[in-house]
Amino acid sequence: MEVFLSKSVLRVRKKTKKLNNLTKKMASKLQRKKYFFRFNYSAGSKKYMIAEVIVDVAASEVDRVFDYVIPKELSFLTEGYRVLVPFGHRVIEGFVISIKNESGYDADKLKEIKSTPDDYPVILKEHLYLASAMKDEFNLRYVDILRLFIPAQMRRSQVKELKRLVVTLSDNYTLEQMLASLRKGADTQAELLEYLSLLDRGVLGEKSELMSSLTKMFSAASIRALQKKGFLEIESKRQFRPPYKKLVKRDDKQHTLTNEQKNAINTIINSTMSDKVVCKNKFLLHGVTASGKTEVYMRCIQHFLEQGKTAIMLVPEISLTPQTFNTLRARFGSSVAILHSGLSVGERFDEWCRLINGEAHIAIGARSAIFAPLENVGIIIIDEEHDSSYVSDNNPRYCTKFVASLRADYNNAALVLGSATPSIDSYLKATEVVGGLQSDAGKATKQTKVTKVNKTRASGDNVVASGDNGLGGATEYTLLEMQTRVNQNPLPKTVVVNMSDEIRAGNKSIFSRFLVEKIGAALSKNMQVMLFINRRGYASFIRCVECGYVAICEACDVSLSYHRDDNSLKCHFCSMRYNIISACPKCDSSALRQGAVGTQRIADEIKKLFPKINVLRLDHDTTKNKDDYINILSSFANEEAQVLVGTQMITKGHDFKNVCLVGILDADISLYFTDYKSTERTFQLITQVSGRAGRDERQGMVVLQTYRPTHYVYSYAIKNDYLGFYKKEVNIRQTTNFPPFTKIVRILAVSESEQKALDTTQKLSFELREALKEYNKHIVYFGASRSPINKIEHKFRFQILIRLKRNEPREIMQKIFDIVNKGKTKQVNVFAEINPQNLS
């Protein structure tokens, strides 16, 4: 009977095997015929789980999901893990984005995952959701997005945890017992025990000490002797590398809130608890400089932390992170972590680990901090939301506000955009109501979509938050206004100086006579001065007077700037450096003239006028290292220098009580750009830098030097009239069909071969025109040309500009993306940008 059963089983197994082989052959045949066929993989009773993996290779042809079998020893894998997988003839890293138990491929052809370098998933489920949405919105490669979610050096194990030997006292003995057991004369051992006892009791802060530090303070022999007696425990522990160690910790100042601040805070923290407001979780906080926006941010963060949630706060520039980090750390301690590319490799890795491990609950940083590995996010804050740096103009190209909005919706979190000068786009989203009534701001233009600017300005002690206004529609953001400075001081007085009049009066100096007088008066009263010019270097170019030759970068189609500190010519695009010329290389003339002045020249001229004072300079050239910025600002805050000269790095977020005068030199610089945003940027820069004056008890003064004093941007900036400027600018944009009333799509073709870049652009232009014929009513403008800067880093650039009406059908963008993707070759890189911040 047993033999009969055994043969029967063998026969059944043979038939099953034959059937499985037939099934696999049929599946393979159907696949070749492009039929979709799915089946469970089994070999006898063994079943396989399948991981969908994105391999870490930045190539469009492999930017898709690959199926791999999960071996039994890796059965714990979930989505978000990094894995090592065989790919071709090598083993590379990849990211698991999904787990499934069936696939459309033959099980015998699937390869197994080799291993995982981590013991936890490094990418959150929320990140995978973001990646999918960003891929669709910005036409990005999946792997480029996934790389945003982890520190760059974590890939290929370029950075690891730092472990060091740590010494602690044993719990088996009291201090008295240990000291009593020491032989006479063992004074060093006794001192060591007493020191560790103080640490153990928290008298000196930490409860342990590094072996290396103790060896220097005492001796290795004493440590070994006490360890042998069982009095000391030595073990290897992870050590975090804290950023900004030189940053002096500040005390937390509890401020009395104004009614405007209270109303803003209450509106924000109640937003995620109520379904009454249509735009319940997104806010535009429009507060004048020194109105206390930072305190509003911190009170809101505190509320959500108490609810067991986490927070993300973004600032526009890496240079602003130290002071923001210090402010938040004073209130929230070690719960704050900082993320940005300016940190060392180890510092960034450790801060990222503290966030993903739950040791820190607040992430602050520049643009990339929006991808912080935090779960259960309660609030996301984007400070100085108008700043162009929140849009990435390098691969991967994305808009931070779009990602923040996705995260806010995913977590039902509050999103707060703050600024004294909101972007036109954001203010429109906070005031435009589809289907509502039309306000004064919309009457001057003919609109298909009705625009309503809500009357939300502060009246007395009250601030009105507008969102669902009961007029048949809702705004995308709730508008919160804070129009009063915390100290009740008036905004600084602005005086405009016409530099053309100065020249006619014989003054050829960089400084007007009025500004020099006011600088002298401020210095005589021991007050400080800030001078702003948005151009670094000593001179913007070197030109030959005889033949007109201008020194141009060999790699880029731009003029070289003169830098006097190292007597060289530098390209501000590719950072190439050239020796200074003493004669024209074209005509051999020595008649060379320097172009428009920069920060270096301003600092030199101020020292000549006031030789007894100290002058500091803050720009890209003086802040090469991450601590340079802190050192310069600390010196100025400590009044070690009387004048600070800088670019737009000095315009945002600084609070110097002793600054009574701000000079804006050559205010017209940003007006000269051939860009639809030039006036908006000029207004924002003037308003922001003006806000640095008079932040204490005295009213400040701003001296604005210009060659175009009648330009409308100055009339609004002088009065700090944002709403007036907004109405003027939004009507111009609507009349001329520029964003936010249209969408600009720029397709760039970049190649080391000028001809290939041109040929590709012409081909793409033809294909796009043909593909978009049926959508002509949605197209405002279509044109192809050289880029304004035709060459950067030896690569030629040609562009196609398309302006689309708002709310265009989604299929238009998909057609554009499909054609762009097909147009890429090994010789020519082609990519699309949506509403680029820089059209050069």
Side-chain angles (χ1 to χ4, degrees), residues 52-65:
E52 291 187 330
V53 175
I54 298 291
V55 293
D56 194 0
V57 178
S60 299
E61 54 269 22
V62 295
D63 189 47
R64 59 185 178 85
V65 171

Side-chain angles (χ1 to χ4, degrees), residues 165-170 173 178 182 189 192-193 196 211 219-236:
L165 293 177
V166 173
V167 182
T168 54
L169 281 178
S170 170
Y173 307 91
M178 289 186 280
L182 297 179
Q189 293 181 32
L192 174 56
L193 289 172
L196 289 173
M211 178 78 167
S219 71
S222 298
I223 297 170
R224 283 195 298 270
L226 292 172
Q227 184 188 18
K228 283 181 182 178
K229 293 177 180 179
F231 296 165
L232 301 185
E233 293 178 0
I234 302 175
E235 58 181 322
S236 178

